């Protein structure tokens, strides 16, 4: 069997980092870990070719070569996935689809021959057995969550890693919390399932031996879901693994309660983590209660963020507007919070109801659904009828983004952050690509850009006050440019 592993394009969104990637001449932020994991579960005699449409074109030669296409996607790739499926069907390929988009809404893809849904560790083996016996069913699904200790090492060599800014690795699946807008607990359960430390080290060795020295994103839903295993086992092992090695800083996703645990913060920083994404959502306790984000209620989250920053971890934040409890005052409170906390990468989205979430069920019951969620948060409207008028929500949202990413506010926030941040011990090696990025930033931001004044102020300030953070300051200046482009493209 000759198999094309296909990953449809991401639209030009906040998380695509498309406008920032140009500066380092990379094509996408990270390779598709789901497909690379599935690849490792296929029979060793099968021939595999990965085409990530974010970095490569799907050619007629590819289609003529293959017998089968295996496609993965998340909701935000819905339309590109449809296009790629149609092309594969036209070329006469057997089409197999899996991953979060299809697990949630497979009925909407009539052209797909077989759906292998949920986690492939459980659903792929019966599909492969039935296919070999000549009688594969249309849909394979499972209500169980597999033991991730059975998950194989992803076949990273199938991806052309040079095209990516970061690569991905997964330690755990599942999250102990229960936010009503989130797909994670329905897809992956409440009990964090963790890989063994030996598995993680083998995966890291695999990447290191391929010559990878850039960032590794631990794509866990909540990395600190099982703190005991982290403290007693994984983090000490990562610290030991680092000895004698260079590069490979880590980032991941965590809940805000990381701020309560000084020991964990120290261990994470020593293990090479320098950035965490935290779902902060809103500074308003009533809205947090509305969406069951209990872990964020009754906290001084600005102080929490600063504590994490001081430990050497940059905080990237996810924020949401459009909760039932929100009034037009929310836009100002979000701005104040984000500016005070110094979260440069602040992704503010309008609440969307994804199928399979409790929020979706409630909106359906209340007759408040407006079509399907796009998965792209940075766009007008969302897909629910808000309690605030749609007009007020869209106008307030636009004003909020304009304000947050305007050079004056954005660069002020970067400085607030750099003042607090303890420089990380582990950094990616500074190579020619990074030096070129500096020159391109001077040209595009420092000479041609609307932000040239703020750019040079930050440039000088960092060199004198926080010289070790200079590369990070330039990276954040480039991110700011990306965020502004996305806002201009999406919010008009
Ligand atoms: C990494 C990640 C990203 C990266 C993606 C990078 C990339 N190139 O893939 C980035 C940061 C870009 C991203 C962005 C977003 N993400 Co995201 N992301 C994740 C995350 C944390 C890990 C994905 C991953 O690699 N998992 C590890 C692999 C091994 O798991 P997997 O892909 O699910 O694959 C398994 C199965 O699904 C299956 N499988 C997968 N593909 C296939 C294909 C076939 C043929 C078969 C047989 C099986 C199969 O087998 C695998 C092994 O079990 C997941 C959460 C999660 N735990 O999965 C969310 C998740 C996928 N993201 C989600 C969302 C909502 C988003 C955003 C919309 C968030 C936002 N607020 O903007 C954006 C959308 C992008 C955008 N706006 O441009 C949702 C998806 C919901 C949905 N139904 O699609 C998830 C599930 C998290 C959540 N909160 O619910 N994300
Ligand atoms: S803490 Fe994050 S991953 Fe966990 S349920 Fe809430 S939004 Fe989802």
């Amino acid at each position: 069997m000759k198999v094309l592993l296909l990953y449809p394009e991401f639209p030009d969104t906040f998380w695509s980092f498309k406008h920032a990637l140009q500066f380092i001449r990379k094509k996408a932020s990270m390779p598709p870990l789901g497909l690379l994991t599935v690849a490792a579960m296929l029979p060793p005699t099968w021939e595999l070719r990965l085409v990530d449409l974010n970095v490569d074109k799907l050619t007629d030669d590819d289609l003529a070569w293959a017998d089968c296409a295996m496609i993965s996607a998340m909701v935000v790739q819905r339309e590109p996935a449809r296009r790629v499926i149609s092309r594969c069907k036209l070329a006469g390929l057997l089409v197999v689809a899996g991953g979060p988009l299809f697990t949630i809404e497979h009925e909407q893809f009539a052209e797909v021959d077989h759906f292998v849904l949920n986690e492939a560790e459980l659903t792929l083996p019966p599909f492969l057995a039935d296919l070999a016996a000549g009688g594969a069913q249309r849909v394979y699904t499972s209500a169980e969550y597999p033991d991730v200790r059975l998950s194989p090492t992803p076949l990273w060599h199938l991806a052309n890693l040079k095209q990516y800014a970061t690569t991905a690795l997964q330690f755990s699946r599942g999250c102990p919390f229960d936010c009503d807008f989130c797909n994670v607990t329905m897809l992956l359960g409440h009990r964090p399932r963790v890989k063994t430390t030996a598995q993680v080290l083998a995966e890291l060795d695999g990447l290191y031996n391929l010559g990878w020295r850039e960032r590794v994103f631990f794509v866990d839903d909540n990395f600190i879901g099982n703190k005991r295993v982290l403290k007693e086992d994984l983090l000490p092992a990562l610290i030991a693994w680092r000895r004698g090695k260079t590069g490979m800083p880590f980032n991941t996703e965590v809940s805000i309660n990381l701020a309560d645990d000084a020991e964990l913060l120290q261990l994470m920083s020593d293990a090479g983590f320098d950035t965490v994404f935290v779902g902060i959502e809103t500074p308003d306790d009533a809205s947090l209660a509305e969406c069951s984000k209990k872990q964020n209620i009754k906290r001084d989250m600005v102080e929490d963020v600063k504590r994490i920053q001081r430990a050497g971890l940059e905080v990237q934040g996810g924020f949401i507007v459009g909760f039932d409890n929100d009034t037009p005052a929310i836009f100002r409170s979000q701005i104040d919070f984000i500016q005070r906390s110094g979260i440069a990468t602040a992704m503010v989205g309008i609440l969307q109801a994804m199928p399979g979430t409790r929020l979706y069920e409630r909106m359906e019951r209340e007759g408040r659904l407006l079509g399907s969620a796009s998965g792209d948060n940075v766009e007008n409207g969302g897909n629910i009828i808000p309690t605030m008028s749609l007009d007020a929500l869209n106008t307030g949202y636009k004003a909020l983004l304009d304000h947050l990413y305007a050079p004056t506010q954005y660069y002020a926030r970067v400085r607030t952050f750099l003042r607090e941040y303890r420089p990380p011990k582990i950094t990616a090696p500074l190579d020619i690509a990074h030096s070129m990025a500096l020159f391109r930033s001077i040209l595009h931001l420092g000479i041609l850009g609307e932000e040239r004044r703020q750019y040079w102020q930050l440039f000088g300030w960092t060199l004198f006050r926080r010289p070790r953070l200079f590369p990070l300051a330039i990276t954040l200046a480039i991110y700011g440019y990306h965020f502004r482009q996305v806002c201009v493209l999406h919010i008009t």
Side-chain angles (χ1 to χ4, degrees):
M1 183 80 98
K2 293 192 173 82
V3 181
L4 280 176
L5 300 159
L6 300 178
Y7 201 50
E9 289 137 87
F10 277 104
D12 181 3
T13 58
F14 188 96
W15 288 120
S16 72
F17 282 105
K18 190 174 150 195
H19 304 278
L21 290 167
Q22 294 164 5
F23 285 78
I24 45 169
R25 295 288 191 263
K26 301 283 180 187
K27 291 202 174 152
S29 57
M30 72 191 94
L33 188 61
L35 278 177
L36 299 180
T37 308
V38 168
M41 295 179 215
L42 295 174
T45 50
W46 288 17
E47 289 178 53
L48 310 177
R49 203 181 268 185
L50 174 76
V51 181
D52 174 355
L53 282 108
N54 297 287
V55 304
D56 279 319
K57 288 204 162 46
L58 175 61
T59 64
D60 290 341
D61 280 353
D62 291 325
L63 292 167
W65 168 84
D67 306 307
C68 167
M70 299 187 89
I71 299 173
S72 175
M74 57 172 99
V75 163
V76 74
Q77 292 153 290
R78 185 187 288 123
E79 292 316 315
R82 272 190 213 294
R83 289 197 291 274
V84 88
I85 290 168
S86 294
R87 258 190 94 190
C88 292
K89 286 311 293 174
L90 260 172
L93 303 191
L94 182 79
V95 174
V96 183
L101 167 67
F102 304 102
T103 297
I104 303 267
E105 48 185 61
H106 75 271
E107 309 82 11
Q108 299 189 25
F109 295 87
E111 287 187 288
V112 171
D113 297 296
H114 303 284
F115 292 101
V116 181
L117 305 178
N118 303 98
E119 293 171 68
E121 288 80 358
L122 288 181
T123 49
L124 192 64
F127 165 69
L128 292 176
D130 291 350
L131 191 71
Q137 299 164 29
R138 181 132 197 274
V139 182
Y140 290 79
T141 177
S142 167
E144 307 287 307
Y145 299 114
D147 182 342
V148 286
R149 289 173 297 183
L150 304 175
S151 195
T153 298
L155 300 188
W156 282 294
H157 69 265
L158 292 176
N160 180 359
L161 292 180
K162 288 200 179 77
Q163 310 264 37
Y164 298 94
T166 302
T167 191
L169 183 152
Q170 192 177 42
F171 165 59
S172 71
R173 292 185 197 160
C175 174
F177 297 114
D178 198 18
C179 312
D180 80 344
F181 54 80
C182 175
N183 264 160
V184 161
T185 43
M186 173 260 183
L187 286 170
L188 300 154
H190 280 291
R191 193 175 55 83
R193 289 163 288 139
V194 300
K195 288 184 180 168
T196 63
T197 293
Q199 258 176 306
V200 175
L201 297 187
E203 296 193 21
L204 284 171
D205 279 335
L207 284 168
Y208 200 83
N209 293 338
L210 283 172
W212 187 260
R213 300 290 180 274
E214 300 289 332
R215 179 168 294 285
V216 176
F217 181 3
F218 278 63
V219 291
D220 295 27
D221 306 305
N222 185 357
F223 183 70
I224 62 165
N226 186 332
K227 291 184 184 179
R228 190 186 54 78
V229 177
L230 287 184
K231 287 183 187 176
E232 292 177 7
D233 201 352
L234 183 70
L235 292 171
L238 288 179
I239 293 167
W241 178 84
R242 283 206 169 276
R243 283 185 203 122
K245 297 195 175 63
T246 51
M248 267 207 188
F250 300 149
N251 61 306
T252 191
E253 308 188 331
V254 297
S255 42
I256 190 80
N257 53 319
L258 172 64
D260 304 335
D261 196 328
E263 182 194 358
L264 189 55
L265 280 167
Q266 185 64 49
L267 281 168
M268 281 182 68
S269 163
D270 291 347
F273 286 86
D274 66 6
T275 308
V276 288
F277 174 88
V278 183
I280 289 173
E281 324 307 0
T282 172
D284 188 311
D285 274 358
S287 295
L288 289 169
E290 176 190 321
C291 69
S292 307
K293 193 133 196 152
K294 298 192 184 92
Q295 68 275 25
N296 289 23
I297 297 179
K298 291 210 173 90
R299 306 183 65 106
D300 180 348
M301 287 199 284
V302 171
E303 188 43 40
D304 290 336
V305 168
K306 292 194 184 278
R307 205 172 307 136
I308 299 175
Q309 292 167 340
R310 279 182 221 123
L313 295 155
E314 178 187 346
V315 176
Q316 303 179 331
F319 298 86
I320 297 177
V321 291
F323 289 112
D324 283 1
N325 178 72
D326 282 350
T327 68
I330 192 63
F331 304 111
R332 189 71 246 170
S333 352
Q334 289 279 23
I335 289 171
D336 289 346
F337 181 94
I338 294 168
Q339 289 304 120
R340 280 195 296 134
S341 59
I343 296 180
T345 302
M347 197 219 60
V348 190
I350 291 184
L351 184 64
Q352 292 200 1
M354 293 269 185
T357 59
R358 284 191 292 121
L359 175 68
Y360 188 90
E361 282 165 21
R362 180 165 74 84
M363 290 297 120
E364 200 168 37
R365 267 198 321 273
E366 294 177 10
R368 292 171 57 192
L369 280 177
L370 289 173
S372 40
S374 66
D376 173 7
N377 302 40
V378 186
E379 63 173 9
N380 276 346
N383 69 330
I384 57 183
I385 301 172
T387 47
M388 196 189 312
S389 80
L390 205 54
D391 216 27
L393 181 59
N394 285 335
T395 314
Y397 181 57
K398 180 181 176 332
L400 180 150
L401 289 187
D402 282 349
H403 188 89
L404 276 184
Y405 287 107
T408 315
Q409 279 73 23
Y410 179 76
Y411 278 82
R413 210 153 75 232
V414 170
R415 269 208 232 183
T416 303
F417 159 62
L418 294 176
R419 264 188 218 107
E420 298 285 343
Y421 188 49
R422 193 184 76 197
K425 293 179 197 135
I426 315 294
T427 49
L430 282 179
D431 55 14
I432 188 88
H434 293 93
S435 313
M436 289 309 292
L438 171 63
F439 289 118
R440 287 187 196 107
S441 78
I442 290 175
L443 175 66
H444 293 286
L445 313 181
I447 298 173
L448 304 172
E450 58 166 320
E451 61 272 71
R452 46 188 175 270
R453 187 168 56 82
Q454 292 84 1
Y455 175 87
W456 287 116
Q457 280 169 350
L458 179 70
F459 199 104
W461 183 87
T462 319
L463 274 182
F464 284 106
R465 300 284 186 85
R466 310 286 280 152
R468 284 185 59 201
L469 295 179
F470 183 70
L472 178 60
I474 297 299
T475 303
L476 291 174
I478 293 172
Y479 282 8
Y481 170 78
H482 165 75
F483 300 141
R484 263 190 298 288
Q485 300 304 307
V486 170
C487 293
V488 168
L489 282 171
H490 287 239
I491 311 291
T492 44

